[in-house]
């Protein structure tokens, strides 16, 4: 039986104050996780998502569960060090100005336009 893949993803939403909220995460079901993010961020007390919008994926790649977690942690640390935005709860970055792109390195470097 083949091992199920997990996904490493990058996504975003715009909060009610106009902040660009960038997120990196992992999941084994992209559609379910998108629905969960949309529901949870609409209810959030801080950086609330407007009720007429939803969480959007900018990039995702299938990897093993171990590698998704490893590359998520590595990328989050790199983004914090280069100051892509203010790091907030749940692996999100609040960006005053939307970045043109972000980079993730997994054997090769992926330049993800935002």
């Amino acid at each position: 039986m083949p091992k199920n893949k997990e996904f490493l993803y990058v996504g975003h939403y715009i909060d009610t104050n106009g902040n660009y909220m960038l997120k990196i995460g992992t999941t084994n079901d992209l559609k379910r996780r998108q629905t969960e993010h949309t529901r949870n961020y609409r209810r959030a007390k801080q950086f609330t998502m407007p009720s007429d919008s939803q969480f959007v994926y900018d990039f995702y790649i299938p990897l093993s569960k171990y590698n998704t977690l490893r590359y998520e942690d590595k990328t989050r640390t790199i983004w914090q060090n280069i100051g892509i935005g203010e790091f907030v709860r749940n692996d999100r970055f609040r960006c005053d100005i939307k970045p043109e792109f972000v980079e993730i390195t997994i054997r090769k470097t992926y330049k993800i336009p935002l």
Side-chain angles (χ1 to χ4, degrees):
M1 177 178 277
K3 292 184 179 182
N4 292 335
K5 290 289 187 177
E6 297 265 330
F7 293 93
L8 175 67
Y9 66 84
V10 175
H12 76 275
Y13 69 95
I14 310 294
D15 77 359
T16 53
N17 293 325
N19 294 307
Y20 187 85
M21 301 300 296
L22 182 64
K23 175 157 178 65
I24 185 165
T26 63
T27 186
N28 62 352
D29 184 338
L30 289 166
K31 185 67 179 159
R32 175 189 50 81
R33 194 68 181 132
Q34 181 181 37
T35 303
E36 290 172 353
H37 284 323
T38 298
R39 180 182 60 241
N40 293 337
Y41 293 148
R42 284 180 182 167
R43 296 180 189 161
K45 292 181 180 175
Q46 228 183 357
F47 311 114
T48 307
M49 178 189 293
S51 60
D52 62 345
S53 67
Q54 70 176 14
F55 184 81
V56 176
Y57 290 116
D58 297 304
F59 172 84
Y60 55 86
I61 188 168
L63 301 165
S64 71
K65 181 168 180 81
Y66 169 76
N67 281 333
T68 58
L69 297 172
R70 184 170 66 128
Y71 287 118
E72 177 187 11
D73 288 342
K74 180 180 167 186
T75 302
R76 181 185 334 104
T77 301
I78 291 169
W79 289 1
Q80 285 175 301
N81 291 340
I82 64 172
I84 206 141
E86 174 192 357
F87 182 72
V88 295
R89 273 187 79 228
N90 302 328
D91 298 330
R92 292 177 292 168
F93 292 85
R94 183 189 62 78
C95 304
D96 294 326
I97 299 170
K98 176 183 168 183
E100 289 183 33
F101 66 91
V102 291
E103 291 183 345
I104 294 180
T105 301
I106 306 168
R107 289 195 184 127
K108 72 174 201 172
T109 299
Y110 296 89
K111 189 173 183 177
I112 304 159
L114 300 175

